[in-house]
Amino acid sequence: MFIPVHEPDAALGFYRDALGLEVRNDVASEGFRWVTVGAPDRTSTSSCPSRTAVVRRPRATPSCPS
């Protein structure tokens, strides 16, 4: 699941600190930032699969010609 956010640090605080998800990756490149969070690792015997969310800044929308 991809979740576009305008403030990655604020979103990271919410998903990590408030919801208890763990940070799997935190990558910045060319002005963009992708943070991957997911449920803390589960044992292989768990019947509930782990899910991952990617929190990223939305891409700038190109301006339309006049």
Side-chain angles (χ1 to χ4, degrees):
M1 167 184 346
F2 289 89
I3 304 169
V5 299
H6 293 284
E7 297 295 332
D9 288 323
L12 178 58
F14 172 74
Y15 288 103
R16 181 192 56 214
D17 303 335
L19 297 183
L21 299 178
E22 66 182 18
V23 176
R24 304 236 171 108
N25 294 297
D26 190 343
V27 180
S29 177
E30 298 181 19
F32 295 98
R33 184 173 174 197
W34 295 264
V35 179
T36 307
V37 295
D41 286 336
R42 300 173 187 249
T43 63
S44 59
T45 58
S46 174
S47 61
C48 298
S50 179
R51 300 286 187 236
T52 300
V54 178
V55 179
R56 66 172 176 83
R57 279 187 187 267
R59 289 186 178 259
T61 305
S63 58
C64 297
S66 304

